[in-house]
C-alpha cells in the first residue's frame, strides 16, 4: 500500500510510514521542512528533478543544499533534468575534488522532422489561421496518422484556438483543451484517447510536467506566458514572450516518443537561432521578499552572498528589502522585527499586493 515503502507528502496529506525508504514531495514542501530541520538530517539522498524549470523554490533549494553540503558530507544530491546547462550546475556544486560529476543518459527517441513555417500576422491571417493550415497540411497526407499537440501561451489562447478549429469540422476528430483550471474530468479525456484523431491544445505544462499519449505531431508557435515582477509598479505582470531554444527542443521531443514525428515551428530558423539557449530563471524575474525573509529566518546571512546559480539583479534585492520594511517584517536595520517571525516566514509574499 502507498506509504509503506514509497510514500508522499503534499500540502494537506502525508502518506508515509516510519519504515518507508522513499518519499516523494514538491520543492516547496522540502523548503518548508528546512525550517524545522535545517540540516535535512532526515535524508541521506535528495533527488531534485525537473531542475531546468529554474523556479524560485528550485534555485533557492540548490543554493541551500550548496550551503549545507560541507556540514553534511554524507548527504548525496542528484540533480536531474532533460535540458539544463550541465556544466554550470556541476560548477555550482564544486568541491575540493573538482566539479560535481555529470552523467549523461540518452533516452530512446524516434527521428523528428523539423519544419519551419513563419507567418506574418494580419487582420485576415492570425495565429489560429497558421495553426489550422498546419493541421490541414499534416492530415492532407493519408499516411500521416496520429494526434497533434499544439502549444499555446494560456487559457484564453486555447479557448480561441479551440473555437477556430472546431468550426473547421475535421472528420472523426476531437479538439481537446488542456490547462490548469480545466476540470479533472475534462483533463482525464486527454490521457484516455479513443479511436478517433485528436488535436490537443495545451500550455507549456505539456513540455515536461506531463506526457500526452499518442502524440505524433507538434505545432509550436514559440510563445509562452511568463510572470515578471516589476519593482517600479510593485506588481507581477503576465506577458507573452518567445520561448528559449531549450523549451522549443522540449516541445519538439513530445512527438518522437512512440514513432517518427513532425514538428512545425511557426517562426523562422533564424528566429530560433537568435533566442536564448535556456529559459530565464524565475529568480531574475520575481519578487525576492519571500526569499530574503526565509534566509533571515534560517540565519543564512546576506542574500548578496548566498550561492545562487544566477545572482538576482541588485535592484530586485533592494526592492525585496523595502517590501519587507513596508510589511513590518523587518526593521530599518534589515533585521527581523521578531513578532511572529516563524509564521511570517511561511507565508507566500508574492501575493502581497
Amino acid at each position: 500500500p502507498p506509504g509503506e515503502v514509497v510514500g508522499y507528502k503534499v500540502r494537506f496529506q502525508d502518506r508515509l510510514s516510519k519504515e518507508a525508504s522513499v518519499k516523494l514531495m514538491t520543492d516547496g514542501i522540502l523548503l518548508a521542512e528546512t525550517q524545522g530541520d535545517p540540516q535535512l538530517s532526515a535524508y541521506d539522498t535528495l533527488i531534485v528533478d525537473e531542475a531546468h524549470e529554474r523556479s524560485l523554490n528550485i534555485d533557492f533549494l540548490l543554493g541551500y543544499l550548496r550551503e549545507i553540503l560541507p556540514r553534511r558530507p554524507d548527504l548525496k544530491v542528484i540533480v536531474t533534468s532533460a535540458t539544463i546547462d550541465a556544466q554550470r550546475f556541476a560548477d555550482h556544486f564544486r568541491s575540493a575534488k573538482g566539479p560535481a560529476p555529470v552523467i549523461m543518459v540518452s533516452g530512446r527517441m524516434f527521428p523528428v522532422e523539423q519544419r519551419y513555417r513563419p507567418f506574418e500576422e494580419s487582420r485576415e491571417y492570425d495565429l489560429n489561421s497558421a495553426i489550422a493550415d498546419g493541421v490541414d497540411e499534416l492530415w492532407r497526407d493519408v499516411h500521416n496518422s496520429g494526434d497533434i499537440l499544439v502549444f499555446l501561451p494560456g487559457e484564453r489562447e486555447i479557448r480561441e484556438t479551440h473555437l477556430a478549429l472546431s468550426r473547421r469540422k475535421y472528420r472523426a476528430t476531437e479538439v481537446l483543451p488542456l490547462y490548469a483550471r480545466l476540470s479533472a474530468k475534462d483533463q482525464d479525456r486527454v490521457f484516455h484517447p479513443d479511436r478517433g484523431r485528436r488535436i490537443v491544445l495545451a500550455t507549456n505544462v505539456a513540455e515536461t510536467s506531463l506526457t500526452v499519449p499518442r502524440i505524433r505531431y507538434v505545432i509550436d508557435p514559440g510563445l509562452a506566458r511568463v510572470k515578471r515582477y516589476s519593482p517600479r509598479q510593485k506588481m507581477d505582470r503576465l506577458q507573452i514572450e518567445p520561448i528559449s531554444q531549450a523549451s522549443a527542443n522540449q516541445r519538439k521531443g513530445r512527438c518522437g516518443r512512440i514513432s517518427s514525428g513532425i514538428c512545425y515551428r511557426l517562426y523562422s530558423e533564424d528566429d530560433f537561432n537568435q533566442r536564448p539557449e535556456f529559459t530565464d530563471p524565475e529568480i531574475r524575474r520575481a519578487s525576492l521578499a519571500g526569499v530574503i525573509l526565509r534566509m533571515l529566518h534560517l540565519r543564512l546571512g546576506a542574500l548578496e552572498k548566498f550561492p545562487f546559480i544566477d545572482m538576482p539583479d541588485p535592484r530586485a534585492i533592494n526592492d525585496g528589502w523595502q517590501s519587507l520594511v513596508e510589511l513590518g517584517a523587518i526593521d530599518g536595520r534589515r533585521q527581523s522585527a521578531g513578532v511572529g517571525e516563524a509564521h511570517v516566514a511561511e507565508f507566500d509574499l508574492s501575493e502581497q499586493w
Side-chain angles (χ1 to χ4, degrees), residues 323-337:
S323 296
L324 293 176
V325 171
E326 293 171 357
L327 289 169
I330 61 173
D331 57 28
R333 297 174 300 169
R334 294 188 172 182
Q335 300 295 319
S336 171

Side-chain angles (χ1 to χ4, degrees), residues 191-340:
F191 303 103
H192 297 89
D194 55 21
R195 295 182 179 180
R197 297 185 303 185
R198 305 183 306 158
I199 305 173
V200 180
L201 312 176
T203 61
N204 56 358
V205 70
E207 281 182 21
T208 54
S209 300
L210 51 85
T211 299
V212 180
R214 220 174 65 181
I215 296 299
R216 286 196 61 187
Y217 312 107
V218 164
I219 297 178
D220 176 22
L223 302 171
R225 197 174 292 276
V226 179
K227 183 172 75 171
R228 290 190 181 274
Y229 175 75
S230 170
R232 178 177 298 179
Q233 298 177 337
K234 298 283 187 180
M235 63 183 298
D236 288 323
R237 296 177 297 173
L238 278 173
Q239 52 197 47
I240 296 177
E241 299 180 359
I243 61 173
S244 66
Q245 293 183 13
S247 289
N249 289 332
Q250 279 288 100
R251 294 181 176 189
K252 174 184 175 181
R254 297 294 94 181
C255 60
R257 297 202 159 199
I258 59 173
S259 66
S260 58
I262 301 174
C263 176
Y264 276 24
R265 287 178 176 161
L266 303 183
Y267 46 95
S268 68
E269 188 171 5
D270 287 341
D271 183 357
F272 172 80
N273 292 330
Q274 291 172 9
R275 297 188 178 200
E277 187 175 1
F278 298 101
T279 303
D280 197 17
E282 187 180 6
I283 199 162
R284 288 191 170 178
R285 49 184 173 83
S287 171
L288 300 179
V291 175
I292 294 172
L293 190 63
R294 182 169 284 162
M295 290 182 65
L296 287 173
H297 178 62
L298 295 173
R299 294 176 173 82
L300 295 176
L303 183 145
E304 294 85 348
K305 297 181 180 179
F306 189 73
F308 287 112
I309 295 179
D310 292 281
M311 184 55 61
D313 189 298
R315 293 173 298 178
I317 297 175
N318 291 332
D319 175 80
W321 285 112
Q322 183 60 35
S323 296
L324 293 176
V325 171
E326 293 171 357
L327 289 169
I330 61 173
D331 57 28
R333 297 174 300 169
R334 294 188 172 182
Q335 300 295 319
S336 171
V339 179

Side-chain angles (χ1 to χ4, degrees), residues 83-101:
T83 54
I84 61 172
D85 187 344
Q87 190 57 50
R88 191 167 192 175
F89 278 71
D91 291 337
H92 175 72
F93 287 101
R94 177 184 291 273
S95 66
K97 299 178 180 179

Side-chain angles (χ1 to χ4, degrees), residues 112-118 130-141 144 148-151 216-222 248 251-252 255 261-267:
V112 176
E113 179 185 348
Q114 181 65 66
R115 299 179 183 178
Y116 289 93
R117 294 290 188 273
I131 291 172
D133 284 352
V135 172
D136 292 343
E137 185 174 339
L138 282 171
W139 281 347
R140 187 178 299 132
D141 188 341
N144 286 349
I148 299 174
L149 175 60
V150 182
F151 285 96
R216 286 196 61 187
Y217 312 107
V218 164
I219 297 178
D220 176 22
R251 294 181 176 189
K252 174 184 175 181
C255 60
I262 301 174
C263 176
Y264 276 24
R265 287 178 176 161
L266 303 183
Y267 46 95

